[in-house]
Amino acid sequence: MDVTLAPEHQELLRHVTETLDDELAPLIRRMADRPRHGADPDNAAIRAMVWQALTEMGALRLNQSPAPGDRRGLSGLAVLAERLGEVLYQGPLLDTVLTSEALLRCAPGPGRDRFLKEIAAGASVAAAVRDGAVRPYDAPLATGTTGDTVSAERRFVAFAAEADWLLIPGLTADGTRRTALVRRDDPTVHLRRHEELGRGELYAVRLADTPVTAWLAPVEDPEATWQELIASARTLQAAYLVGLARGALRLGTDRLKERRQFGGALARQQSPAFLLARLATRIDAARLLTRQAAWEADTDRDHRLTAGQALAMAATLARDTGRDVLHLHGAHGMTDASDAQLFFRRAAVESLALGSPARVRADVLPLLMARRPAD
């Protein structure tokens, strides 16, 4: 396996780093924070500006291509996700590109092509796949008598209020797995924002006989296709968490260079220096495992096991790094003026977005046992 970034991925990393540069990063970190009621106009403007910048740089077209086989694939998206995690980006971009991937696996047609063009032009999608359970995508989904409406409740849907579309997967009463694409602004869609630790954009969503704009029907085996999409979601979330840990580590390193104790920089003392070194080593290991999962997907290998392992490792790493960097900041790190508490809080929430590390490992355990050599 070669995890060296391909030239096009190196160019992508350079481009996204320039777009989300160090001057813009502090604003991006704060753009999800807002009052308990209503929206902050300044944050809303920053969110719109970042979304436009990502759209113009082609982030929503990374997994779309005019010719079969001519795609940057999951490796390119993982590069993007890692940088997004490093600046603590909060938005529906990763859900949108995964929806685009799901559409590409459906039969070609005017409806599918129209949605792909809308996404490439900047339309956003919020996917209802966060629930903390092992298989949140198996939640109940009730269809109307004519099959063109859907009713469902989802506890945690990220960025639902700012998305143009909602992607709602689930199981119908007869045990069939179906995925509906509905308009977010339909009157039958009801949203309630959670007040949670990460101060992010998590909503409880209730659909009451909501018209279905499109049913996503994969060309191949729906169960296998959905499992592949979940593995891709885990890979991108792992990359995001690796980036989050890297951003927190950088913040902690800068802080130790500033703090002075016993007449010298705190970074010169062995204990904090060794702590940072251990975290840096773990970040490299998690990045390599995440890149392996993306490489397996791009080379048509089964990446479900590696994706689950990468997410479990990255989730644990993000929480540990956020905690340790907060400690290194001292009391200042717990104040609103410090970004250390932002990394800590976001890591606590994002590490559970697709299930806790223990639940993710339990979900992929049968895949690991299947690879075990026979006695």
Side-chain angles (χ1 to χ4, degrees), residues 28 66 271 273:
I28 296 176
S271 179

Side-chain angles (χ1 to χ4, degrees), residues 60-370:
L60 298 176
R61 297 191 300 271
L62 283 176
N63 62 343
Q64 296 188 29
S65 132
D70 181 21
R71 289 165 52 192
R72 299 192 188 195
L74 200 60
S75 296
L77 292 173
V79 169
L80 174 63
E82 185 174 331
R83 179 56 184 170
L84 295 179
E86 193 171 355
V87 298
L88 286 184
Y89 165 80
Q90 294 279 283
L93 188 137
L94 296 182
D95 283 354
T96 302
V97 296
L98 284 169
T99 300
S100 185
E101 181 68 25
L103 287 167
L104 288 169
R105 295 170 181 266
C106 297
R112 189 203 74 162
D113 296 342
R114 176 173 62 86
F115 284 126
L116 287 173
K117 288 180 181 179
E118 285 190 18
I119 288 174
S124 57
V125 184
V129 294
R130 298 187 180 213
D131 203 6
V134 177
R135 299 173 67 90
Y137 37 88
D138 285 350
L141 188 70
T143 58
T145 55
T146 59
D148 56 358
T149 61
V150 64
S151 298
E153 292 187 10
R154 297 294 182 266
R155 294 187 296 171
F156 304 106
V157 182
F159 322 113
E162 66 185 77
D164 300 302
W165 302 89
L166 297 177
L167 187 73
I168 314 292
L171 286 180
T172 59
D174 60 359
T176 303
R177 176 168 291 110
R178 304 194 71 180
T179 303
L181 193 65
V182 304
R183 291 289 309 182
R184 189 268 306 166
D185 56 2
D186 190 275
T188 60
V189 176
H190 305 278
L191 307 180
R192 179 175 58 83
R193 183 171 181 254
H194 292 291
E195 296 296 336
E196 40 86 9
L197 178 66
R199 293 184 189 171
E201 293 285 326
L202 287 178
Y203 292 83
V205 176
R206 180 168 59 87
L207 309 179
D209 290 325
T210 302
V212 176
T213 304
W215 289 103
L216 274 60
V219 176
E220 300 177 355
D221 180 8
E223 173 66 23
T225 298
W226 187 248
Q227 292 299 327
E228 291 174 4
L229 289 172
I230 288 296
S232 296
R234 286 173 172 171
T235 302
L236 295 183
Q237 185 67 11
Y240 182 91
L241 290 168
V242 168
L244 187 153
R246 183 180 176 186
L249 179 64
R250 180 181 176 184
L251 188 71
T253 302
D254 292 342
R255 178 62 176 171
L256 288 190
K257 291 177 181 178
E258 298 172 357
R259 293 188 66 184
R260 303 187 66 81
Q261 195 175 71
F262 304 116
L266 192 58
R268 293 182 176 273
Q269 296 187 18
Q270 283 189 345
S271 179
F274 287 172
L275 173 62
L276 294 178
R278 286 196 298 271
L279 291 174
T281 301
R282 292 178 61 188
I283 289 172
D284 285 342
R287 178 187 290 114
L288 287 174
L289 189 58
T290 302
R291 288 185 181 177
Q292 178 180 343
W295 172 81
E296 289 177 355
D298 291 344
T299 53
D300 293 328
R301 290 173 169 82
D302 186 355
H303 67 300
R304 292 175 297 164
L305 175 59
T306 310
Q309 293 172 325
L311 177 56
M313 177 185 287
T316 303
L317 167 66
R319 292 177 68 97
D320 290 349
T321 306
R323 177 200 62 209
D324 291 342
V325 168
L326 185 65
H327 288 170
L328 291 174
H329 274 69
H332 172 71
M334 294 183 286
T335 65
D336 284 342
S338 173
D339 284 350
Q341 49 86 22
L342 279 178
F343 279 99
F344 173 77
R345 291 191 287 102
R346 298 270 170 82
V349 174
E350 292 294 337
S351 63
L352 302 176
L354 299 180
S356 69
R359 287 181 169 181
V360 172
R361 289 190 180 99
D363 194 32
V364 299
L365 179 60
L367 300 174
L368 180 63
M369 297 302 293

